[in-house]
Amino acid sequence: NAGVTQTPKFQVLKTGQSMTLQCAQDMNHNSMYWYRQDPGMGLRLIYYSASEGTTDKGEVPNGYNVSRLNKREFSLRLESAAPSQTSVYFCASVGQWVNQPQHFGDGTRLSIL
Amino acid sequence: DQQVKQNSPSLSVQEGRISILNCDYTNSMFDYFLWYKKYPAEGPTFLISISSIKDKNEDGRFTVFLNKSAKHLSLHIVPSQPGDSAVYFCAASAEAGGTSYGKLTFGQGTILTVHP
């Protein structure tokens, strides 16, 4: 049982390049989330998908787009990468919102030069 | 505006002693609180949670205490073990009303080091 799988694990981009981060969960969860983790700032929500077919902005959505491809997959796209987007990106999922913890993938470490 | 704060960036404890990690929040709408543990190069792993209708929840060596009037929660680890060395994040959600969609607000994290 893989849980939440993120690809790639590492990536180096040049400023202005585009990239899609992939996330898939095999727990039949309804809701999925993208967070970024920066030193001293904890995890901050970028976008979320409360259910298949819906997406919405989180706390720090600028510079990103998302696609909920199906119930299993939720991708995060950087259209024109900037050095400020250098971070570790985590995908998470949860089956129901009430009193249930989110399950996280192992992250994608992204460096933008 | 940091709605969830962990004011201690790091904590060092001797093996066998108690570790106490603290977390403060400002949003009175938060009603579900969680602690996650994170090892390097891995994702956060759920540790323990508490609903605002309780003031204490235990799971083995881990106990979370919630003081709603002070908007404060703490995680106690007894006894501490070297394998507990990790970054600990507290997180909060406002679930009542069904409009939070499970969104979590995280603290900055506390690095716990347990020395043998």
Side-chain angles (χ1 to χ4, degrees), chain B residues 22-45:
Chain B
N22 294 303
C23 181
D24 297 295
Y25 62 96
T26 58
N27 188 341
S28 58
M29 300 300 292
F30 287 148
D31 55 9
Y32 181 57
F33 304 88
L34 310 90
W35 284 93
Y36 281 86
K37 175 180 180 179
K38 185 184 179 305
Y39 293 119
E42 294 184 10
T45 302

Side-chain angles (χ1 to χ4, degrees), chain A residues 31 33 35 37 40-45 48 50 57-58 90 94 97-107 109, chain B residues 2 31-32 34 36 38 41-46 49 51 89 93 95 98-109:
Chain A
S31 303
Y33 309 83
Y35 295 89
Q37 184 196 1
M41 303 193 72
L43 282 78
R44 292 180 293 168
L45 183 65
Y48 65 99
K57 296 177 181 179
F90 290 101
V94 69
W97 304 323
V98 180
N99 292 353
Q100 290 294 320
Q102 293 180 14
H103 297 258
F104 284 80
D106 283 339
R109 186 174 296 273
Chain B
Q2 189 88 25
D31 55 9
Y32 181 57
L34 310 90
Y36 281 86
K38 185 184 179 305
E42 294 184 10
T45 302
F46 171 70
S49 64
S51 168
F89 291 99
S93 177
E95 298 194 343
T99 58
S100 74
Y101 304 111
K103 292 180 290 183
L104 295 177
T105 300
F106 283 83
Q108 306 96 310

